[in-house]
Each structure stands twice: as C-alpha cells, then as structure tokens.
Amino acid sequence: IKRNRGKVTKLEEGQQYQFRVKAVNKAGPGEPSEPTLSHTARARFVKPRIDRSNLENLIFKVGQCVMIDVDVIGEPPPQIVWTFQDKDIVTTDNFRIDSVDNNTKLFMAKAQRVYGGKYIIKATNSVGMDEAQFDVTILGKPGKPGGPLKVADVTKNGCKLSWNPPEDDGGSPVEYYEIEKLDPLTGQWLPCGKSNGTEANITGLQEGKPYKFRVKAVNKEGESEELETDKAIIAKNPFDVPTKPGKPQLKDWDKDFVELAWAPPESDGGAPVQKYVVQMRDKDERNWVDVLTVPGDRNNGRVQDVIEGHEYEFRVVAINKAGPSPHSDVSNSVIAKPRFLAPYIDRKNLMKKVIPSGQTLKIIADIKGEPPPAVKWTIKGKPITNNRVIIDKRKEKKKENRLRT
C-alpha cells in the first residue's frame, strides 16, 4: 500500500480485531505502529432489531427483584426508550434502565401488583425503528373482598352471608373464600365455613348470642385482607313461638274416643302454626303423652287411644317454625263411656218380697243411663209420699252412670 489508508477484507462478522501499520522500504520493514482499539466486524448501518426471546411468559411475584435483559441490534447504536402505561420509564427508587451498546436492561427493585401490565421497548437510529410490546404479570395475594359483607335470613342457629369479589384477584384466580365468626364466649375469631362463591349459609350459632363475621379471599399466593361486618347480629329467629292455644272443649265422647275442639293461639308468633299436638293424661297418673297431631289449619280432633272406664284430661300445644308454644289450660276431665244410653233398670232385686208386718223393707235397684235418668218410685200408680218411706239415690262411678235407689 503506497497510500496512508487501506481496506481490510475477509473479516468474520462479529469477531473483534485490532490493527497496526508498518512502513517498508528497500532496507526492510520498520517498527509497527501502536495497535488500534478493538473493533467488532459488523455492518456500519443496520436498522434496529429487538431480540424478543426474553420477552415471553414474564411472570414474577410481589416483592421479587426483577431484571428484564434484552439484546438490541442496530448501527449506529439505537436510542432505546421503555414505556409503561403510555409513559416513558425513568430511573426512580424502584426502576432503573441500563442501556449499553447492543443491550438494554430494566431493573425493578421490588415488584408490586401495580407494575403488572403492558410494556413497550422502542429502539430508533438513523436507519429505522423497531418496537416490541410484551406483558408482565406480577402475582400476589388477592385484594380485600368487595363490601359490604351483608347478613340476611338470621335464625336462632344460623344466617346467610353475601359479599362481592375483590377488585384485584392477585393475578391468579380466587380459589375459595374463608369465613370466620367472632366467638362471643372466647372473643376469638374462629373458622365457620368456606365458599367457592360470594355467598354462604352459616350454621352452628348459639341462640341469643351476638356474632360478627369476616371473610377473606384465597388464591395460590395466599390470603387477602379480611372484610368484616359493620355490626354484630343476634342469633334469633325473626319470629317467636305461638302463645298457648285455648282450653280444649269436650265435644263428644264414647267408650272408645273423645272429640275435642280448641281456639287457636291469640298470636302465632309471626310464623303460621304448622301443627297442633294433643296431649292426654290418665287422671290417676302424672305423665302427659302425645296422642294426636293435626295440621295447623284445624282446631279439632278425635282421640281414640282411650280405655273404657278411665277418666282423662287433655291439653294442646301449637307449633310453628320457632318451636312449640306453652301448653293450653287443661280440659275438664271425661270418662271414656257412652254419652247417650237409654235407661235400664236391673230387675234382679225386684222380685216379689214377703216379710212380717213391722219389719223394715229394703229394696235396691241398679239403674243405668246417660245422661243420668230421673227416678221416681210409685205405689198403686201414685208417688210415694209417706214420711215413713225413705228413698236414697246414690251415684256410683262405673263405666256408665249407675243410680242405686
């Protein structure tokens, strides 16, 4: 080369080279010059091209340190800009961008859910431009369930809860909701149920006790903050037991049944009477037994579990959703016997009698009948009025009314 410039060919692209020069005359070559700086064999003018191989499936967790490393080819070296939510990313306490030669890196000191979303890298030089869009997912615990936490259908043993899903599921679907109640005895929060949806039926409450509830959403990353009810509820039915029914009245009876009727309770307690239970007691015993159940729209019934000749008392209980009422007043007693029976005179003691004058004559006649018959004694077709004759009528307790006269 006789000029002070030259062209080196057959270089391999991407390899780094240094160069130096020696002067040569007839006496031979002189000392070489100082070497050049290292040069990479590459095109001088290249449109930017972003390597997207590291921009797929970018999933991180809350609190994690994040580095996104991207190679960018281009000559002259392109100017690189990162954007998020339509704003250029600049270095802050939580973000830093390092762009050197053909590489750019985004550092995130501490990943947060708000930093998840669509990012854009834009590389520009004098030859052209390239732009890459990619998504970053940052997984975390779900947000607090949406309020309010509503309590409905309260009874003495349970209630129904409902709420809204969290605005942020943490990037992972909510798997279930965990529900807790504030125990009125210990003052501690205790688990009381799980739900796959945004409502739940709660059971196991103690009647008359105050309760508060809270619910939290759960995904693969953990539990959310709790959503709590605004105030406590009392575990009680929205209705009460009925007042006592009216005293049972005896409508009919015989040796094998007793028919009763009664007035309904003055108050049904706020819930319709579902049924009446008739209880019976043998007057010679102490225990009451259930002998008949009738629907709540009936106020009468026939009891057939009676024994002829026994005396019975009855009472009635009304039942609604809240439970049984106080029992009614006790009925008048009744003997299981025929109610209507034609009079019958037992004639076995009425045979002809012969006695000496001056002796006392006693004649006994048993008389049956229901209702108790009126008895008259006559002699020669006329009522007996002689004050020397005594007529004694005695009622005996038998299977039917019996007069001894």
Side-chain angles (χ1 to χ4, degrees):
I1 299 174
K2 295 182 179 180
R3 295 172 297 170
N4 293 333
R5 56 187 301 177
K7 183 176 182 180
V8 180
T9 60
K10 298 183 179 179
L11 301 181
E12 294 184 15
E13 185 176 0
Q15 292 294 323
Q16 288 191 336
Y17 296 93
Q18 288 180 304
F19 303 93
R20 62 184 185 181
V21 179
K22 292 189 291 185
V24 181
N25 60 16
K26 291 183 178 181
E31 293 294 325
S33 67
E34 294 294 325
T36 65
L37 297 175
S38 295
H39 291 271
T40 302
R42 62 189 179 193
R44 186 176 180 184
F45 298 101
V46 177
K47 179 181 177 181
R49 183 170 62 84
I50 299 171
D51 185 355
R52 292 164 171 76
S53 58
N54 291 339
L55 300 180
E56 297 178 0
N57 300 320
L58 295 178
I59 300 175
F60 308 97
K61 293 188 177 183
V62 169
Q64 183 178 351
C65 293
V66 175
M67 182 187 73
I68 303 175
D69 189 346
V70 181
D71 288 333
V72 181
I73 299 173
E75 288 296 335
Q79 180 183 4
I80 298 172
V81 177
W82 294 69
T83 61
F84 173 60
Q85 295 181 343
D86 299 325
K87 293 182 180 180
D88 292 350
I89 299 175
V90 295
T91 298
T92 62
D93 292 341
N94 205 50
F95 283 100
R96 189 178 87 245
I97 297 173
D98 289 343
S99 297
V100 178
D101 293 334
N102 295 325
N103 180 266
T104 184
K105 294 181 177 69
L106 173 67
F107 295 93
M108 193 183 302
K110 198 172 186 179
Q112 299 178 26
R113 282 284 299 155
V114 294
Y115 298 148
K118 186 178 295 296
Y119 286 75
I120 299 174
I121 303 175
K122 187 174 182 180
T124 307
N125 66 7
S126 59
V127 182
M129 182 270 290
D130 191 14
E131 183 178 282
Q133 297 185 9
F134 61 96
D135 290 317
V136 173
T137 301
I138 299 178
L139 302 179
K141 300 175 183 179
K144 181 178 179 179
L149 179 52
K150 298 179 181 178
V151 186
D153 300 338
V154 179
T155 67
K156 64 181 181 180
N157 299 123
C159 62
K160 182 178 181 180
L161 302 179
S162 62
W163 59 93
N164 294 312
E167 292 184 1
D168 178 15
D169 64 4
S172 179
V174 173
E175 296 182 346
Y176 62 90
Y177 295 90
E178 184 154 340
I179 306 157
E180 297 177 321
K181 64 182 178 183
L182 184 60
D183 188 89
L185 299 178
T186 64
Q188 296 180 337
W189 287 98
L190 302 177
C192 63
K194 289 184 179 180
S195 175
N196 293 326
T198 55
E199 59 182 33
N201 291 314
I202 305 300
T203 58
L205 305 184
Q206 296 182 37
E207 184 176 5
K209 302 293 184 182
Y211 289 92
K212 294 188 76 174
F213 301 92
R214 66 185 187 184
V215 60
K216 49 191 174 184
V218 181
N219 68 5
K220 292 181 179 180
E221 302 303 315
E223 301 174 347
S224 73
E225 181 185 350
E226 298 91 351
L227 171 67
E228 189 173 322
T229 50
D230 295 331
K231 58 183 179 180
I233 57 98
I234 303 296
K236 65 179 293 293
N237 287 327
F239 38 79
D240 297 315
V241 298
T243 56
K244 68 180 182 180
K247 176 181 175 179
Q249 303 297 317
L250 303 171
K251 293 300 182 182
D252 196 8
W253 62 87
D254 208 323
K255 63 182 180 180
D256 55 359
F257 75 87
V258 176
E259 285 191 0
L260 303 167
W262 56 88
E266 291 184 1
S267 170
D268 62 8
V273 174
Q274 296 172 319
K275 60 184 177 180
Y276 292 98
V277 176
V278 178
Q279 299 176 331
M280 180 179 73
R281 176 175 70 178
D282 194 309
K283 201 167 183 181
D284 294 333
E285 299 178 1
R286 300 181 59 184
N287 295 332
W288 291 90
V289 294
D290 296 345
V291 291
L292 181 66
T293 300
V294 299
D297 58 354
R298 282 181 51 192
N299 302 118
N300 57 76
R302 172 180 284 205
V303 178
Q304 295 181 309
D305 297 333
V306 295
I307 300 174
E308 185 178 3
H310 284 231
E311 187 172 5
Y312 296 100
E313 295 175 321
F314 300 90
R315 67 186 188 185
V316 181
V317 174
I319 298 175
N320 67 4
K321 288 182 179 180
S325 72
H327 59 74
S328 69
D329 294 338
V330 178
S331 71
N332 296 333
S333 63
V334 62
I335 299 174
K337 62 182 181 182
R339 186 181 179 190
F340 300 103
L341 183 65
Y344 169 75
I345 301 172
D346 187 350
R347 292 166 171 77
K348 67 181 179 180
N349 294 327
L350 301 181
M351 306 299 291
K352 182 178 179 180
K353 296 183 182 293
V354 179
I355 62 171
S357 176
Q359 289 190 3
T360 301
L361 173 62
K362 184 178 181 180
I363 301 174
I364 299 176
D366 288 335
I367 302 174
K368 300 178 183 180
E370 291 293 341
V375 179
K376 292 182 179 181
W377 288 74
T378 63
I379 184 170
K380 295 181 181 181
K382 296 181 180 181
I384 298 176
T385 58
N386 194 317
N387 57 9
R388 296 175 60 191
V389 178
I390 299 174
I391 299 174
D392 185 13
K393 300 177 182 179
R394 298 182 182 179
K395 183 177 179 180
E396 296 187 358
K397 187 176 178 182
K398 300 292 183 181
K399 294 180 181 178
E400 62 282 314
N401 273 330
R402 176 178 294 180
L403 293 177
R404 173 161 287 192
T405 182

